[in-house]
């Protein structure tokens, strides 16, 4: 491989490139915009645009695009070339400041949840100068925010930036009270660990379900799944290794800190983790990483599956959102340091997170809600649908001691009594590294583990930033008025922890007893996407988002509608695909195979009177019965789908898909899988689980 430091960021118009290519004054003005969020002067923008264009053209670009994240879950781009005609019929390559700052894609075809009627097609994209421009596929990509003509937000980036602003403002207020006059901004950081499957491309193409829905809708279990646990951290196959190497290189060129790669639990499953960075960059980078994962897989004759549950019976894929808060002076506010017991600032930030997770359980659950992820949450492979927090015995011990008013001394024997072991530095992982918790403290950050693999991480981070901002704001309000600050802080930490410790659970989240226990604690258990999303527009949530200027009422309702609508659409596509596969492929294949059996039976019978055709007759009978049952279940699914036309209410419709359509699909699938098990592999119209999961050598 070529020189990595040189390669790193070579396709990014980053700090280094800006410094090299921009006049000093322009560079300074741009930096100021990036730092303080001031609007960019058009003259400065013109110079920046021109420098960007020159750099892009030197690197082989002919086009530019505003790159944005609409509510579809994927990124969007509309490419324009740099060419401008001259009078003499020749062209020059041009790119103006106006084109850099603002774009006008047709907004009518992006989901807007009714905010913007389709006739008002205008939408604007505006450059987010805090995320560098980069080159992808011969185009200069400008990371942008996307809003409607009337200023309503139509994307995932704008509210994320707003939430980062909100938590920064409130955290700085709290820091000032502790005498910190240095910090001017507080930054949330994120490192998303990304899981994915790699399978053979030809096999992927051969299956309609994978092609249309990203997951298998039928498929009997392979004789070998993940039970031997021999894949996790196992030796990486040559083909996969070549892919990972290529992927790392492409990501590094884009300035993405791809760091760790390994095999995951299920066969054909892998993981990539980057080094953490500022939340909006981490989000852009994760979107790009997912795109590159898919693209590079194709280059290697493979398909990368990002669906949360491509295969039944083996683990699905998730994403771990590692999240923390730091000051612009580089201090991690969630770092317990050597003596957390006496660090009231740390404890206050910690209880702010505890209170936030308790009061806004629903928002965290919603941020991980999707049709795909419904297969995982609560299915003994991912955290349950119940949100709780893991602090580890050390930190819980610190808080318990604090609340009971014991004079905790990390060097005294007391630590043995309370089970607290805060030694030289706080240990990164306490003895019982809890993999089952949806929201775990891991040393100096929280790891939110509910997310699905295909999700855009902006939503969970909007929730996290905003809800913690709210708690910090309440704390600041109270403490700013306090006469004795030190006493007030101690009292506040104690009270907050006592009122919200029901959300802390250090036990096994996969255990069935936890469901009952959580219920008795009054915690929410929102099992499906429609059940979770229903809470999005609860009054307390609307108040929260409005107070911190994240969403207006209209924007919040739009998001609620988009999530529900999207859920219904996905289940609808899956059901239609299932019906198509059943009628066009499976039922005819079974008929054909039964006929072969019957023909064989007649041939056998013709041989001699002693030879029976019991085997063929039995099998043909069994398959015929199953086929009839299957066909009836598919018909039932079909007629259930027709009824959706009569449901106009968005929420009612989503619930109907969850409660009626989805179970009907499961019922049909069971029969198909049984037929697959009884049939000649060659007679079955699709590649088997075994073939697919072990397709990459
Ligand atoms: P593991 O989950 O296996 O313990 P690591 O401790 O290496 O893995 O971290 C997992 C992810 O957490 C990585 O992406 C890492 O960059 C990220 N991370 C580490 N520190 C922070 C932080 N302060 N803020 C956000 N993410 C962080
Ligand atoms: Mg992890």
């Amino acid at each position: 491989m070529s020189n990595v430091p040189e390669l790193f960021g070579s396709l990014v118009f980053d700090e280094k490139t800006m410094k090299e290519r921009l006049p000093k004054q322009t560079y300074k003005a741009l930096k100021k915009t990036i730092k303080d969020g001031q609007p960019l002067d058009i003259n400065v923008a013109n110079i920046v645009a021109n420098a960007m264009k020159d750099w892009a053209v030197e690197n082989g670009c002919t086009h530019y695009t505003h790159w944005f994240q609409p509510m579809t879950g994927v990124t969007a781009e509309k490419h324009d070339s740099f060419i401008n005609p001259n009078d003499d019929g020749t062209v020059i390559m041009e790119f103006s400041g106006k084109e850099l700052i603002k774009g006008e894609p047709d907004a009518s075809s992006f989901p807007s949840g009714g905010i913007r009627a389709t006739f008002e097609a205008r939408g604007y994209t505006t450059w987010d100068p805090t995320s560098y421009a980069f080159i992808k596929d011969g185009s200069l990509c400008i990371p942008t925010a996307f809003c409607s003509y009337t200023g309503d937000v139509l994307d995932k980036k704008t509210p994320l930036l707003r939430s980062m602003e909100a938590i920064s403002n409130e955290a700085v207020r709290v820091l000032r009270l502790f005498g910190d006059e240095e910090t001017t901004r507080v930054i949330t950081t994120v490192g998303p660990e990304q899981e994915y499957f790699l399978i053979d491309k030809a096999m992927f193409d051969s299956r309609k379900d994978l092609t249309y829905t990203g997951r298998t809708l039928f498929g009997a279990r392979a004789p070998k799944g993940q039970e031997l646990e021999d894949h996790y951290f196992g030796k990486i196959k040559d083909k996969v290794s070549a892919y990972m190497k290529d992927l790392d290189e492409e990501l590094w060129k884009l300035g993405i800190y791809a760091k760790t790669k390994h095999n995951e639990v299920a066969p054909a499953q892998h993981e990539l983790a980057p080094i953490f960075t500022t939340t909006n960059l981490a989000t852009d980078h994760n979107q790009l990483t997912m795109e590159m994962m898919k693209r590079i897989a194709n280059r290697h004759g493979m398909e990368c599956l990002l669906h949360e549950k491509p295969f039944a019976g083996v683990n699905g894929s998730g994403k771990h959102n590692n999240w923390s808060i730091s000051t612009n002076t580089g201090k991690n506010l969630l770092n317990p340091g050597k003596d957390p017991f006496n660090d009231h600032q740390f404890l206050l930030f910690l209880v702010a997170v505890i209170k936030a997770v308790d009061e806004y359980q629903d928002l965290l659950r919603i941020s991980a809600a999707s049709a795909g992820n419904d297969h995982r949450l609560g299915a003994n492979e991912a955290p349950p649908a119940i949100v709780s927090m893991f602090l580890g015995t050390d930190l819980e011990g610190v808080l318990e001691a604090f609340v009971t008013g014991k004079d905790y001394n990390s060097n005294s024997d007391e630590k043995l009594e309370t089970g607290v072991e805060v030694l030289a530095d706080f240990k990164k992982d306490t003895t019982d590294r809890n993999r089952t918790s949806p929201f775990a403290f891991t040393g100096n950050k929280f790891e939110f583990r509910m997310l699905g693999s295909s999700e855009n991480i902006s939503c969970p981070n909007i929730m996290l930033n905003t809800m913690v901002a709210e708690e910090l704001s309440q704390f600041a309000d109270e403490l700013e008025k306090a006469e004795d600050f030190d006493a007030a802080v101690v009292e506040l930490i104690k009270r907050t922890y006592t009122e919200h410790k029901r959300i802390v659970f250090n036990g096994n989240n996969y255990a069935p007893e936890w469901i009952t226990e959580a219920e008795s604690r009054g915690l929410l258990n929102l099992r499906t996407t429609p059940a979770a999303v229903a809470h999005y527009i609860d009054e307390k949530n609307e108040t929260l988002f409005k107070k911190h200027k994240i969403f207006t009422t209209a924007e919040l309702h739009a998001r609620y509608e988009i999530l529900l609508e999207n859920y219904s659409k996905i289940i609808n596509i899956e059901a239609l695909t299932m019906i198509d596969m059943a009628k066009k492929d499976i039922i005819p294949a079974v008929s054909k195979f039964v006929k072969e059996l019957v023909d064989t039976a007649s041939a056998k019978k013709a041989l001699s009177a002693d030879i029976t055709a019991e085997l063929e007759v039995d099998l043909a009978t069994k398959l015929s019965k199953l086929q009839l049952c299957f066909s009836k279940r598919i018909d039932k699914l079909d007629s259930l789908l027709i009824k959706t036309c009569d449901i106009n209410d968005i929420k009612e419709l989503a619930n109907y898909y969850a409660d009626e359509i989805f179970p009907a699909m499961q019922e049909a699938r069971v029969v198909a899988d049984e037929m697959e098990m009884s049939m000649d592999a060659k007679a079955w119209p699709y590649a088997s689980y075994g073939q697919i999961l072990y397709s990459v050598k």
Side-chain angles (χ1 to χ4, degrees):
M1 189 178 299
S2 43
N3 183 343
V4 176
E6 208 167 284
L7 189 78
F8 191 83
S10 57
L11 295 180
V12 185
F13 195 75
D14 57 12
E15 208 57 40
K16 187 170 143 266
T17 317
M18 281 184 203
K19 240 190 200 143
E20 274 167 20
R21 297 199 168 237
L22 295 176
K24 248 203 181 100
Q25 285 311 316
T26 314
Y27 173 76
K28 267 195 189 152
L30 181 59
K31 281 298 286 179
K32 203 164 162 50
T33 296
I34 295 173
K35 217 169 121 258
D36 308 334
Q38 286 173 2
L40 198 61
D41 178 81
I42 187 68
N43 296 318
V44 176
N46 278 330
I47 301 172
V48 177
N50 195 51
M52 265 188 193
K53 184 259 305 169
D54 286 347
W55 169 78
V57 170
E58 279 166 37
N59 281 284
C61 288
T62 49
H63 288 68
Y64 71 92
T65 176
H66 277 200
W67 184 79
F68 58 104
Q69 299 172 32
M71 297 298 299
T72 50
V74 291
T75 48
E77 38 197 76
K78 172 184 161 231
H79 300 258
D80 284 297
S81 70
F82 289 124
I83 62 164
N84 255 322
N86 283 329
D87 290 342
D88 60 359
T90 58
V91 293
I92 49 163
M93 304 293 260
E94 268 181 353
F95 186 46
S96 71
K98 198 170 146 270
E99 287 166 316
L100 165 66
I101 294 177
K102 198 160 158 191
E104 270 189 58
D106 180 346
S108 59
S109 305
F110 292 105
S112 66
I115 276 189
R116 183 201 31 66
T118 30
F119 58 83
E120 270 180 69
R122 228 159 355 149
Y124 290 121
T125 48
T126 39
W127 183 31
D128 164 19
T130 59
S131 183
Y132 302 127
F134 58 90
I135 291 172
K136 184 166 66 75
D137 232 11
S139 279
L140 171 69
C141 300
I142 323 277
T144 52
F146 180 44
C147 65
S148 76
Y149 179 60
T150 47
D152 290 313
V153 170
L154 296 175
D155 73 346
K156 302 194 177 198
K157 170 165 258 184
T158 314
L160 180 65
L161 293 171
R162 289 175 180 171
S163 74
M164 290 167 68
E165 202 60 40
I167 193 171
S168 174
N169 292 341
E170 304 303 337
V172 169
R173 274 178 75 196
V174 170
L175 291 176
R176 289 286 180 272
L177 292 167
F178 281 97
D180 176 345
E181 296 294 332
E182 252 192 305
T183 302
T184 52
R185 263 180 105 85
V186 163
I187 298 131
T188 55
T189 48
V190 166
E193 300 164 64
Q194 175 75 47
E195 290 181 339
Y196 60 99
F197 278 86
L198 282 178
I199 64 168
D200 180 73
K201 175 91 172 86
M203 239 165 244
F204 171 87
D205 290 337
S206 76
R207 291 197 60 133
K208 289 178 195 166
D209 46 6
L210 283 172
T211 315
Y212 297 156
T213 74
R215 76 177 179 104
T216 52
L217 300 169
F218 297 108
R221 311 278 148 97
K224 179 177 186 281
Q226 64 194 48
E227 53 281 85
L228 292 180
E229 295 173 344
D230 52 352
H231 193 253
Y232 191 52
F233 280 40
K235 182 187 170 301
I236 298 172
K237 288 176 182 148
D238 291 348
K239 199 164 172 184
V240 175
S241 174
Y243 163 82
M244 288 176 165
K245 196 167 157 263
D246 229 14
L247 178 62
D248 275 345
E249 240 183 274
E250 292 299 328
L251 295 179
W252 289 338
K253 281 188 213 163
L254 288 167
I256 298 172
Y257 306 105
K259 171 92 174 160
T260 315
K261 50 188 180 187
H262 61 79
N263 284 354
E264 259 300 327
V265 175
Q269 194 185 28
H270 313 280
E271 183 185 291
L272 180 144
I275 298 170
F276 70 95
T277 182
T278 314
T279 307
N280 64 323
L281 286 186
T283 306
D284 287 358
H285 286 175
N286 184 248
Q287 290 298 116
L288 275 173
T289 300
M290 291 194 287
E291 188 182 330
M292 286 300 157
M293 280 179 160
K294 286 193 156 288
R295 185 183 296 192
I296 290 160
N298 287 172
R299 240 190 249 167
H300 289 253
M302 298 187 288
E303 189 69 37
C304 169
L305 306 179
L306 290 170
H307 192 282
E308 284 75 16
K309 193 72 179 175
F311 306 100
V314 288
N315 272 9
S317 301
K319 183 137 59 186
H320 290 173
N321 190 81
N322 293 274
W323 175 91
S324 195
I325 337 173
S326 307
T327 64
N328 61 333
T329 57
K331 180 180 163 59
N332 181 340
L333 296 169
L334 293 178
N335 189 347
K338 291 193 200 323
D339 186 10
F341 185 83
N342 290 308
D343 186 344
H344 295 173
Q345 184 183 299
F346 164 73
L347 290 178
L348 192 67
F349 276 92
L350 180 66
V351 294
V353 180
I354 295 174
K355 181 169 187 279
V357 176
D358 186 30
E359 289 181 341
Y360 299 102
Q361 298 159 44
D362 49 354
L363 290 184
L364 285 178
R365 171 66 183 90
I366 290 164
S367 79
S370 69
N373 216 19
D374 278 4
H375 295 276
R376 296 175 64 247
L377 299 180
N380 277 328
E381 60 173 82
I386 307 162
V387 174
S388 73
M389 274 173 105
F390 171 78
L391 294 179
T393 39
D394 289 1
L395 211 50
E396 197 183 3
V398 169
L399 281 168
E400 287 294 336
F402 196 90
V403 165
T404 50
K406 283 192 187 168
D407 188 14
Y408 174 83
N409 177 350
S410 61
N411 292 320
S412 78
D413 288 345
E414 178 145 70
K415 69 177 191 223
L416 295 173
E417 284 164 30
T418 53
V420 179
E421 289 177 34
V422 185
L423 300 173
D425 206 340
F426 207 78
K427 275 188 282 156
K428 181 169 179 291
D429 274 305
T430 43
T431 40
D432 49 349
R433 187 187 169 99
N434 191 328
R435 287 248 166 236
T436 67
S437 174
F439 199 87
F441 184 75
T442 46
N444 57 7
K445 63 186 191 290
F446 278 98
E447 185 169 350
F448 182 36
R449 302 192 177 119
M450 276 181 141
L451 308 199
S453 47
S454 68
E455 234 183 283
N456 183 316
I457 59 170
S458 58
C459 188
N461 289 299
I462 292 168
M463 305 298 196
L464 272 170
N465 295 345
T466 311
M467 64 203 220
V468 175
E470 170 56 22
E471 311 305 358
L472 293 174
S473 152
Q474 289 179 21
F475 288 179
D477 287 347
E478 184 174 329
L479 294 173
E480 279 163 1
K481 287 192 218 103
E483 277 169 23
D484 179 347
F485 176 75
D486 293 335
V489 170
V490 170
E491 197 277 324
L492 181 57
I493 294 168
K494 284 185 183 179
R495 170 163 41 94
T496 309
Y497 180 65
T498 310
E499 282 173 3
H500 298 283
K501 70 183 208 182
R502 65 167 185 166
I503 197 75
V504 176
F505 178 60
N506 286 343
N508 178 8
N509 284 257
Y510 294 179
E513 304 85 68
W514 170 231
I515 297 178
T516 345
E517 158 83 17
E519 202 180 315
S520 70
R521 292 189 188 191
L523 302 182
L524 292 169
N525 186 3
L526 304 168
R527 278 172 238 267
T528 64
T529 294
V533 173
H535 289 278
Y536 211 171
I537 51 174
D538 284 357
E539 204 183 324
K540 76 167 173 70
N541 296 335
E542 189 174 332
T543 309
L544 172 80
F545 290 123
K546 277 164 75 174
K547 174 175 169 188
H548 296 280
K549 302 197 166 47
I550 311 299
F551 298 130
T552 61
T553 302
E555 287 167 353
L556 181 64
H557 281 254
R559 254 145 240 260
Y560 158 85
E561 283 182 22
I562 289 168
L563 283 178
L564 289 176
E565 226 169 54
N566 189 257
Y567 175 84
S568 298
K569 281 182 189 165
I570 286 172
I571 307 286
N572 194 57
I573 293 169
E574 290 184 348
L576 290 175
T577 305
M578 218 170 189
I579 294 169
D580 179 281
M581 291 170 82
K583 293 192 174 168
K584 300 236 163 69
D585 306 330
I586 298 177
I587 294 173
V590 178
S591 291
K592 204 168 151 211
F593 185 60
V594 167
K595 182 172 182 304
E596 268 173 39
L597 288 169
V598 173
D599 289 349
T600 311
S602 325
K604 273 191 177 175
K605 279 180 194 153
L607 284 176
S608 101
D610 320 335
I611 298 186
T612 73
E614 205 180 324
L615 179 97
E616 285 77 11
V617 173
D618 280 358
L619 188 54
T621 312
K622 179 183 165 190
L623 281 170
S624 299
K625 284 183 181 160
L626 285 171
Q627 188 194 26
L628 181 64
C629 170
F630 179 61
S631 162
K632 282 186 175 159
R633 289 186 183 188
I634 287 294
D635 285 344
K636 181 183 159 198
L637 179 61
D638 217 347
S639 54
L640 285 172
L641 272 181
I642 292 169
K643 289 193 196 142
T644 56
C645 304
D646 303 330
I647 307 172
N648 294 318
D649 181 70
I650 271 180
K651 187 167 135 192
E652 201 185 314
L653 185 63
N655 277 319
Y656 180 80
Y657 274 104
D659 302 337
E660 305 292 333
I661 306 283
F662 186 72
M665 288 165 58
Q666 296 296 88
E667 278 173 25
R669 174 185 183 142
V670 176
V671 190
D673 293 356
E674 203 178 330
M675 291 194 288
E676 183 187 348
M677 299 272 260
S678 308
M679 291 213 352
D680 177 348
K682 291 195 197 75
W684 191 253
Y686 307 114
S688 71
Y689 265 27
Q691 287 169 323
I692 303 172
L693 285 168
Y694 299 95
S695 61
V696 175
K697 302 283 184 260

